[in-house]
Amino acid sequence: MAAELGRLTPRDRLLLDLLDQHRTFTTDQLVDLAFGSVGRARNRLNTLHDRDILDRFRHYQRPGSQAWRWTLGPVGAALLAAGRGALLPRPAAVRDATARLAMSPTLAHLLTVNGFFVALTAHARAYPGARLVRWWNEARCREACGNLVRPDGHGVWADNGRAVPFWAEVDLGTETLSRVVGKLGRYAALPPRRAYPVLFWLPTAAREANLHDHLRRVGLPDGVTVATATATADPRGPAGPVWRVVGHRDRVSLAELPAPITDGVPWDG
């Protein structure tokens, strides 16, 4: 471990922090997050894998090969634990955690949630005026919300001086619309300083249209703003003019969504 500390680059440390917070990313997601070049990413990721700093897995797929999913390796997990002053994890325990993740029924959802925020990060890399100021995972959201609601993620998106905080709900089309809409009542119970727009990232335009129809029938809870978009709506991804606020027809960009004002600033820092 002492030898590895001297060989870690700032980008390596960024990768460790991201994987510590968000558990796993595909190769393409890591390209967008930290590299910008597939060739550079593969070379460095393979090197870190050979040194047990990172681990990886993928499932059998035919035709072709599934992209690698990257996680912390035993040495990477130990380095992070040492930095926190925590007990170092046993290598076998780290491998077991990777195996459980690889077989988790929620893996596809996790990768989709992470992909949403990766797309925003990639957009910000290409447009200097934009920035993903904050990115919380589900566990961090639970800490902030208590038992009231369990968002998939939270972010603050800034573009040309305007900041928009939001809760992210990533939908894969596996739940009934009644169950999806049922979450909104819990968002209404959040304190005013957490009354951010709730963004539904949906798999298809048909699912989005059906959700709007359902919300027209049942209505929104007081104080809750909802906007929807689909993953295929615009090549600029979730930063672009893809968001339709419930009750409106026009599409707006993420930076144009309504932002709550809290103590004179649009989010609570």
Side-chain angles (χ1 to χ4, degrees):
M1 280 184 55
E4 289 297 348
L5 282 174
R7 294 199 287 175
L8 286 180
T9 68
R11 182 165 56 192
D12 296 338
R13 293 176 182 271
L14 172 64
L15 293 178
L16 291 180
D17 287 340
L18 287 168
L19 287 167
D20 185 39
Q21 294 176 55
H22 305 292
R23 302 179 66 194
T24 186
F25 296 99
T26 66
T27 301
D28 286 345
Q29 287 172 346
L30 290 178
V31 169
D32 286 340
L33 280 171
F35 291 94
S37 161
V38 175
R40 283 203 307 271
R42 286 176 177 165
N43 289 339
R44 189 59 180 170
L45 293 173
N46 288 336
T47 297
L48 296 175
H49 176 258
D50 291 342
R51 286 157 43 190
D52 275 345
I53 292 173
L54 300 185
D55 203 351
R56 65 188 183 187
F57 63 88
R58 63 183 176 188
H59 295 287
Y60 175 76
Q61 177 176 293
R62 187 176 180 181
S65 299
Q66 187 181 62
W68 288 111
R69 281 81 168 106
W70 295 88
T71 66
L72 291 173
V75 174
L79 288 168
L80 288 169
R84 292 192 289 260
L87 185 67
L88 302 190
R90 293 181 297 107
V94 178
R95 302 285 192 200
D96 287 349
T98 297
R100 288 193 297 273
L101 178 61
M103 299 306 296
S104 171
T106 62
L107 175 61
H109 183 262
L110 173 62
L111 285 169
T112 306
V113 173
N114 287 349
F116 175 89
F117 287 95
V118 168
L120 290 176
T121 304
H123 183 92
R125 284 165 62 92
Y127 295 89
R131 186 163 69 100
L132 183 60
V133 179
R134 189 161 66 194
W135 173 5
W136 287 354
N137 61 21
E138 182 182 347
R140 180 66 184 85
C141 290
R142 285 202 304 271
E143 291 175 8
C145 299
N147 294 322
L148 291 175
V149 68
R150 296 180 60 175
D152 293 324
H154 161 63
V156 176
W157 177 249
D159 194 353
N160 293 314
R162 189 169 194 272
V164 176
F166 60 86
W167 301 114
E169 289 282 354
V170 173
D171 176 78
L172 298 185
T174 56
E175 296 181 318
T176 65
L177 290 177
S178 295
R179 184 177 178 86
V180 170
V181 171
K183 302 175 184 180
L184 296 176
R186 296 192 289 273
Y187 279 104
L190 290 174
R193 67 189 180 91
R194 300 289 191 200
Y196 310 145
V198 182
L199 308 187
F200 284 97
W201 189 242
L202 301 155
T204 65
R207 176 78 165 176
E208 183 184 25
N210 289 337
L211 178 58
H212 278 266
D213 288 343
H214 191 91
L215 285 170
R216 259 196 307 272
R217 290 194 300 272
V218 303
L220 283 176
D222 290 341
V224 177
T225 299
V226 172
T228 67
T230 66
T232 58
D234 190 283
R236 285 166 289 184
V242 298
W243 296 100
R244 182 184 171 194
V245 178
V246 171
H248 299 265
R249 285 197 166 276
D250 294 338
R251 302 274 177 176
V252 297
S253 69
L254 182 54
E256 295 172 313
L257 288 174
I261 302 298
T262 304
D263 296 329
V265 295
W267 52 286
D268 65 348

